[in-house]
Amino acid sequence: MFSYELVQDGQSVTIYFKGDLDIEVTEIMEEIIQELQFFETIHINLSEVLFVDSTGIGLLINLVNTLKQENKHVMISGTQPEVEEVFKIIQLKEILGEEIFVK
Amino acid sequence: MYLNEYKHVHGLTSSNDHVMEKWLEREINLARNIQTKLLNGSIPSIRDAEIQGISIPARLIGGDYYDFYPLENDKVRIVIGDVMGKGIPAAMLMILTRGAFRSAAESTKGPAETLTAMNKALCQDLRLLKSFVTLFCADWNPITNVLTYASAGHNMPLLVKGKEKKVMELPKALGIMVGAFTDHVYEEKRVELEENDTVFFYTDGIVEAENKDREQFKRERLINTLLQHLDKNVDEIGKHVVEAIHTFTEGVPQKDDITMVILKVNKKSDMTKTNFSFISSKE
């Protein structure tokens, strides 16, 4: 079961993803995009995501691209080794830009 | 009066719902038939090798894809891919991908060129639909025993060395999934295969299959299964892999489509004899 938590700090926000990032997140992601509209800097924390499939990656790409199009500063951190492996296969850093992946 | 009207309207609604459900069920089954027929197309008989493809969708319809395209001089082009998403939307994109592969395979010289052409053809549509496809494409040449390949964000296949009894991943060919960048150019790599070598192409649904404790099947279990059955033919290898996944998952519903293509190199046929018998039969 996927859930998320927002921790606000002025114009910045950290969003903690919790659970599997797969097709079940499709509708929740729409909600997340709406919630993140109000912030300038968005930090996506994936430390509690242990599973991601191709659909989940697609949802993450769409989220980052939508936010970038609105000139928001996006960062991704806390990627777990299992998820990092999937990101490597799909070459996610080349797609989203290496600069958004932070420790 | 009101109650009667309500009953009448309610009766109509539920009967409409029932009709709608029937239509949907029928159309889903028809869509499934179309996909199954297109996906399970004929397996080409190839010289000095055997090939098999298996795809088990997680839902009624899947988004995984594999295909074969015979080329000149007994070569064959193989493709395997994973369309983002599941069910009917993924199946629709899978059909689009199949069309792109079939036309690209006809007009391109190698797997990297095929992926570049497919990406060019599909990128605009996939970006519009906020979707993507990972693909792995390879050409098998039975004369030179060389497998040439390219990847679009897809996992590298496993190479089972029959003589040495070991399994390794094919050297990585760089390439981003189809649908990300319009003008992406794909890297091409090649590997020479020997008699009894097997190449196992697959989608992530295999290694990510989960049991009730949420453990994944993982590549290690797949490698062990392939090692255990390296002397078998492609049909048996496929069956054993499916069986190993089922045994591991213990009936936990499948989350993702499971797809594999198995290519096994056989002993070289005697070409002199083949040519002779061909000439004889013509005479």
Side-chain angles (χ1 to χ4, degrees), chain B:
Chain B
M1 179 75 176
Y2 172 78
L3 190 66
N4 282 344
E5 269 179 16
Y6 172 76
K7 268 186 183 167
H8 177 66
V9 171
H10 181 72
L12 269 181
T13 314
S14 42
S15 119
N16 281 346
D17 283 352
H18 184 67
V19 170
M20 189 66 94
E21 263 173 38
K22 277 267 171 217
W23 280 350
L24 269 175
E25 198 183 312
R26 191 184 305 137
E27 290 189 16
I28 288 169
N29 282 332
L30 287 171
R32 189 187 188 194
N33 284 345
I34 290 172
Q35 199 201 28
T36 311
K37 277 189 184 143
L38 292 179
L39 187 64
N40 299 327
S42 58
I43 307 261
S45 67
I46 50 175
R47 211 177 87 190
D48 304 334
E50 43 182 288
I51 199 161
Q52 180 59 278
I54 299 171
S55 191
I56 308 166
R59 301 185 179 189
L60 271 177
I61 302 182
D64 276 2
Y65 165 63
Y66 70 84
D67 206 357
F68 310 109
Y69 194 87
L71 301 165
E72 57 184 15
N73 300 325
D74 291 334
K75 285 201 290 185
V76 66
R77 188 158 291 163
I78 302 158
V79 73
I80 184 164
D82 181 355
V83 177
M84 178 194 151
K86 283 168 199 70
I88 296 171
M92 288 169 79
L93 293 176
M94 176 268 199
I95 301 292
L96 204 67
T97 308
R98 184 184 184 270
F101 171 70
R102 290 279 167 127
S103 66
E106 179 74 40
S107 58
T108 51
K109 290 193 188 83
E113 230 183 85
T114 300
L115 291 184
T116 305
M118 286 177 78
N119 185 49
K120 268 209 171 84
L122 294 170
C123 202
Q124 213 180 344
D125 286 347
L126 289 171
R127 288 177 81 160
L128 185 73
L129 300 167
K130 294 185 175 174
S131 190
F132 68 82
V133 185
T134 70
L135 289 166
F136 188 91
C137 185
D139 282 4
W140 160 243
N141 185 336
I143 299 167
T144 59
N145 267 7
V146 168
L147 185 82
T148 316
Y149 59 90
S151 167
H154 199 83
N155 54 288
M156 289 296 123
L158 295 171
L159 169 60
V160 187
K161 297 296 291 174
K163 212 190 285 173
E164 294 95 325
K165 299 193 188 318
K166 63 176 185 182
V167 180
M168 60 184 84
E169 203 166 70
L170 287 184
K172 192 167 172 60
L174 290 173
I176 286 171
M177 63 199 187
V178 167
F181 304 125
T182 323
D183 295 319
H184 191 68
V185 176
Y186 294 88
E187 186 187 21
E188 199 165 88
K189 288 253 165 108
R190 61 210 301 275
V191 65
E192 203 172 325
L193 303 179
E194 293 172 309
E195 189 184 320
N196 285 328
D197 282 355
T198 303
V199 184
F200 188 85
F201 308 77
Y202 64 103
T203 58
D204 56 8
I206 292 185
V207 287
E208 290 172 2
E210 283 183 354
N211 66 12
K212 59 179 187 312
D213 299 322
R214 301 224 49 208
E215 286 170 326
Q216 292 188 355
F217 188 66
K218 294 222 178 237
R219 219 173 51 154
E220 287 66 33
R221 286 187 184 87
L222 175 60
I223 289 173
N224 286 340
T225 311
L226 292 174
L227 277 174
Q228 265 174 42
H229 304 287
L230 58 77
D231 293 329
K232 312 253 169 57
N233 66 31
V234 287
D235 293 342
E236 288 169 315
I237 295 171
K239 274 181 204 153
H240 284 296
V241 171
V242 172
E243 212 174 270
I245 299 166
H246 284 161
T247 308
F248 173 77
T249 54
E250 293 175 305
V252 171
Q254 194 183 319
K255 270 176 92 175
D256 202 357
D257 304 331
I258 285 172
T259 301
M260 66 193 91
V261 168
I262 310 158
L263 169 78
K264 186 165 188 175
V265 182
N266 291 333
K267 202 174 168 199
K268 276 248 175 275
S269 56
D270 190 336
M271 282 308 292
T272 337
K273 275 184 190 165
T274 314
N275 286 342
F276 179 72
S277 66
F278 177 67
I279 293 162
S280 300
S281 67
K282 272 188 106 181
E283 283 169 355

Side-chain angles (χ1 to χ4, degrees), chain A residues 18-46:
Chain A
K18 299 172 180 192
D20 295 351
L21 200 51
D22 58 18
I23 199 161
E24 305 303 328
V25 186
T26 310
E27 287 77 21
I28 305 172
M29 203 54 99
E30 294 298 317
E31 186 185 308
I32 289 173
I33 290 173
Q34 293 305 317
E35 290 222 43
L36 295 177
Q37 299 290 321
F38 308 103
F39 303 97
E40 294 302 317
T41 302
I42 295 136
H43 205 120
I44 302 165
N45 187 299
L46 299 179

